[in-house]
Amino acid sequence: MVLVAIVGAALLGLVAWATTVLIRRERRRPETTADAHRIESAATQGIRDARRRARALDRIGGAGGISRLDVHE
């Protein structure tokens, strides 16, 4: 029982520490410019596109799906 309490306290301390680090990092983050917004949005779109292609490839099945997907571009 004591061991469970110690482990619980340690986990709670770890979560509190991680939350503090993330909050401090966010506060130090400089204001983003229009270019930064554009780059971030393009990167997010690229990630979505990669996930969509991966799902499509999974549905098509097999390595031959790669060449079939690239034909459309």
Side-chain angles (χ1 to χ4, degrees):
M1 184 69 173
V2 174
L3 182 61
V4 172
I6 292 171
V7 170
L11 287 175
L12 183 64
L14 182 64
V15 169
W17 172 77
T19 303
T20 304
V21 168
L22 289 175
I23 289 171
R24 285 183 184 167
R25 225 179 249 175
E26 186 64 30
R27 285 183 183 166
R28 280 187 269 168
R29 187 175 177 181
E31 289 294 320
T32 52
T33 63
D35 285 339
H37 280 292
R38 183 181 51 78
I39 291 168
E40 189 172 341
S41 131
T44 303
Q45 174 118 14
I47 290 169
R48 282 190 209 127
D49 187 42
R51 285 182 183 158
R52 189 178 19 168
R53 285 173 155 255
R55 274 188 240 120
L57 179 60
D58 189 43
R59 275 180 256 161
I60 291 171
I66 293 173
S67 61
R68 281 182 262 162
L69 285 175
D70 290 338
V71 169
H72 296 290
E73 293 184 0

